Amino acid sequence: MTYAITQTCCNDATCVAVCPVNCIHPAPGEADFGTTEMLYIDPTSCIDCGACADACPVDAIFPADRLTGRLREYEAINAEYYADRAPAPAPASPTFHPWGAPSFHRSLPADFAPLRVAVVGTGPAGMYAAEDLLLHTNAEVTLIDRLPVAGGLVRYGVAPDHPATKGAGDTFARFHSHPRVRMRLGVEIGTDVTAEELAAHHDAVIYAVGAPSDRRLGIPGEELPGSASATSVVSWYNAHPETGADAVRLSTERVVVVGNGNVALDVARVLVTDPADLAGTDIADHALAALRGTRVREVVLLGRRGPEHAAYTTSELLALKHLPGVDLVVDDHDPRTGAAVDAAAAGEKAALLRGVAREAVDWARPPAPDRRRIVLRFHSAPVEALGTDGVRAVRVTAEGSASGTEIGTGLLVRAIGYRGVPLAGLPFDEATGTVPHEAGRVTGLPGGYVVGWIKRGPSGGIGANRACAEETVGTLLADAVAGSLPTPTGTEREFRRLVRSRSRHLIDARGLAAIDRTERARGQASGRPRVKLATVPELVAAARGGRLRPKV
């Protein structure tokens, strides 16, 4: 029997580090690492030890003979990766210690005083950096987040029907109460505390602030009511406290989503999934109520190019193909679409659509009232959102065509990418939406470092941040050894006093644990993993032991 890696693979290579026979690839240091959609287990060399499954932070690895339903395809997907590859040589001596932690080569002089490092952002990028520092140095880490709760994109970016992926948050959470960690949640750098003040109290500062904004379409009508970003939709169904319960209106039968990346597929899937299937997740209460009363029957995904260039990953498209009660359709309006699917070789992205129903959709007709479906329309670009008081339709054109098609909708969602925003006190590259840096060291800011999307742009999932953090932490430690870090003028105690005087919603590790207990208790009564607190006052009240208003 062999093991297989499945849909929720996070690519962080924890499994690689514990494999005693080198059967999981691509591994760190190999040319393909960081570029493939997931990692793969070689069925010819796997020895069925199960170490990888035990170590996986997102429960993505299972015995191949126990895969059921849509996961059965992953046995072949894993094997296919090795079809034309020479077997990787087994290590002559154990390079990885079975069941051990990943090995990072870190060193500071034995008499080196503990570094005080602030990490701004508690999402995956920040937490991988904190983990590296805590496990391999004697650094003291201050975790800072502008929200009064930790988690970042694990909490507010992962779709609620992907609970295994959210499991990465539990791995990170074990560091929240680490004896060398101080949590300062509810503190916004640039507003409550300046970047200069933060640096004055720490040897180094790592910024892991992500890419919280979104890219614009740049078309007429984009500002109409009923035109929204995928960022706001995802925040809405994930109970982000800065996104109101009424931020998304589902009073339309058809939703048009511009983009065909994984976020676009997430939005489409959540909007047409049976609410009964979402009721056992941590989806926001207000979103679940809205979906139970929704009129949405169809979600159209617009792709500017053909299916061979689609941005979604194989695993996310396979999930759509097996969504209960939902039809997946390819709009056959352009002959290039069908030709690309038919000509695609096995393993190519367009080949995934072979066998999916094709239909020349009549957009003048409303969606069928008794079915839900997702329509993939390639070779289509939006050129105008039509309407007066709100979006009523989207006009799209195909490349090389002067004529356009109107697709009626009351909700237009742009899902064409995220973008970083400037942070006061740091340099910023407007062209890339990132902070200029060299191997993570911020240009012109001694003691300042970046990690994650604000460093490399909005690419890569949760696991990609591990190697990114390793590089940044390595640069930081090299600077420490070289004596190039500025000497802080303030102490940890003085910084605690400073943030207490500036932040109205300061939360520490004890308060965060109280939020977690409250949400889990609220979920237990209804058979859900948790019921998220959706506003800042609710989060703060739970953290401070206050009485929450009863649910209505």
Side-chain angles (χ1 to χ4, degrees), residues 155-482:
R155 179 179 173 95
Y156 293 121
V158 176
D161 60 346
H162 282 4
T165 305
K166 289 176 178 285
D170 295 331
T171 301
F172 297 140
R174 63 193 173 120
F175 294 102
H176 294 164
S177 57
H178 192 283
R180 286 186 278 117
V181 166
R182 301 293 180 267
M183 299 208 76
R184 305 289 181 244
L185 306 178
V187 178
E188 184 168 7
I189 304 304
T191 301
D192 299 320
V193 176
T194 67
E196 293 77 12
E197 289 172 326
L198 181 61
H201 292 82
H202 297 87
D203 295 285
V205 180
I206 299 176
Y207 290 92
V209 294
S213 186
D214 61 278
R215 293 177 59 194
R216 312 288 290 181
L217 294 171
I219 62 174
E222 187 174 7
E223 303 302 328
L224 284 170
S227 173
S229 68
T231 306
S232 62
V233 177
V234 172
S235 296
W236 172 76
Y237 62 58
N238 273 323
H240 195 292
E242 295 176 342
T243 303
D246 59 351
V248 177
R249 303 282 187 172
L250 301 180
S251 57
T252 181
E253 294 179 316
R254 177 185 292 131
V255 175
V256 175
V257 179
V258 182
N260 55 22
N262 284 352
V263 174
L265 267 60
D266 280 347
V267 170
R269 192 181 63 252
V270 169
L271 292 182
V272 296
T273 293
D274 187 340
D277 293 333
L278 294 172
T281 73
D282 68 351
I283 189 171
D285 274 354
H286 56 251
L288 183 60
L291 290 168
R292 282 172 170 157
T294 183
R295 296 177 59 209
V296 175
R297 291 293 178 270
E298 181 177 273
V299 178
V300 184
L301 293 167
L302 299 181
R304 189 179 299 270
R305 297 192 292 173
E308 67 274 28
H309 300 296
Y312 50 67
T313 58
T314 297
S315 59
E316 291 304 314
L317 182 66
L318 289 177
L320 286 194
K321 293 173 68 173
H322 297 286
L323 199 57
V326 177
D327 299 326
L328 183 63
V329 176
V330 173
D331 185 354
D332 206 20
H333 74 104
D334 190 310
R336 291 176 293 178
T337 297
V341 172
D342 294 337
E348 293 182 354
K349 190 158 287 189
L352 297 171
L353 295 174
R354 202 166 291 148
V356 173
R358 301 180 196 175
E359 176 185 332
V361 180
D362 181 359
W363 297 111
R365 299 176 58 184
D370 57 341
R371 290 292 295 175
R372 298 187 182 203
R373 71 175 187 171
I374 295 173
V375 180
L376 300 173
R377 181 182 169 96
F378 298 99
H379 296 292
S380 294
V383 293
E384 185 177 8
L386 306 172
T388 52
D389 298 328
V391 174
R392 65 165 179 81
V394 179
R395 187 162 64 89
V396 302
T397 61
E399 183 182 6
S401 174
S403 61
T405 300
E406 284 192 17
I407 302 177
T409 182
L411 179 58
L412 170 65
V413 180
R414 58 183 181 274
I416 56 173
Y418 293 91
R419 178 177 169 80
V421 298
L423 187 67
L426 272 68
F428 188 73
D429 186 335
E430 288 287 351
T432 62
T434 61
V435 170
H437 69 93
E438 181 180 351
R441 182 191 299 111
V442 176
T443 303
L445 186 66
Y449 302 85
V450 284
V451 69
W453 284 2
I454 196 62
K455 171 187 174 184
R456 65 181 191 274
S459 63
I462 291 174
N465 292 296
R466 184 171 204 151
C468 180
E470 180 183 359
E471 178 188 58
T472 294
V473 171
T475 300
L476 187 161
L477 296 181
D479 290 347
V481 172

Side-chain angles (χ1 to χ4, degrees), residues 100-127:
S103 176
F104 294 87
H105 299 290
R106 301 287 190 241
S107 61
L108 288 174
D111 59 348
F112 211 80
L115 296 173
R116 292 207 312 273
V117 181
V119 177
V120 183
T122 58
M127 291 310 301

